[in-house]
Amino acid sequence: MENKTLVDRIMSVEQDIAQTLFDVQLKSDQRVAETLGDGDAQFKERCSLCVLQYNEKLAQAKTALHQEYLDKIQAYHDELRSIKTNREAFSSLLDRLLFVQ
């Protein structure tokens, strides 16, 4: 009978160990899931921040390029307007080229 009691005791200890391991595994899985969730949330937050910063820099670059474009167009128009025309010389040139005698 002593052997049966010993076997029962061993079985009881093994069941306790199995239950403890199961509980530890559940807690570990829960902590891993929480940590992954926190990590995912931090990752998404940082990505959103990077996207916002990128969009802001992109908008600034677009504005600067647009202003540079407007300035160059204005400079080109001003240069064209500043050219003085000599209508008499132009007419004379056309007469010589078109009506050669």
Side-chain angles (χ1 to χ4, degrees):
M1 292 277 168
E2 198 172 301
N3 288 339
K4 184 178 185 216
T5 307
L6 183 59
V7 170
D8 288 344
R9 179 69 181 135
I10 290 172
M11 293 299 285
S12 174
V13 169
E14 284 183 6
Q15 286 177 348
D16 289 346
I17 290 171
Q19 185 62 44
T20 302
L21 286 175
F22 181 74
D23 292 343
V24 167
Q25 185 65 46
L26 286 177
K27 286 181 182 180
S28 174
D29 291 345
Q30 181 181 6
R31 287 181 182 169
V32 167
E34 288 173 359
T35 302
L36 286 175
D38 291 346
D40 286 345
Q42 289 176 359
F43 176 76
K44 287 178 184 177
E45 181 180 332
R46 288 181 182 171
C47 282
S48 295
L49 181 61
C50 287
V51 168
L52 288 174
Q53 290 173 347
Y54 172 77
N55 285 338
E56 183 178 320
K57 288 180 182 179
L58 180 64
Q60 291 172 353
K62 282 182 177 180
T63 301
L65 284 174
H66 183 69
Q67 187 59 47
E68 182 181 345
Y69 164 78
L70 293 176
D71 292 344
K72 285 183 178 184
I73 291 292
Q74 185 62 45
Y76 177 71
H77 285 203
D78 292 345
E79 183 179 338
L80 287 178
R81 287 188 189 106
S82 70
I83 296 174
K84 300 207 185 242
T85 58
N86 187 341
R87 292 182 191 270
E88 291 176 13
F90 183 70
S91 294
S92 174
L93 176 65
L94 285 178
D95 285 341
R96 280 183 296 165
L97 292 175
L98 297 176
F99 307 112
V100 177
Q101 296 177 346

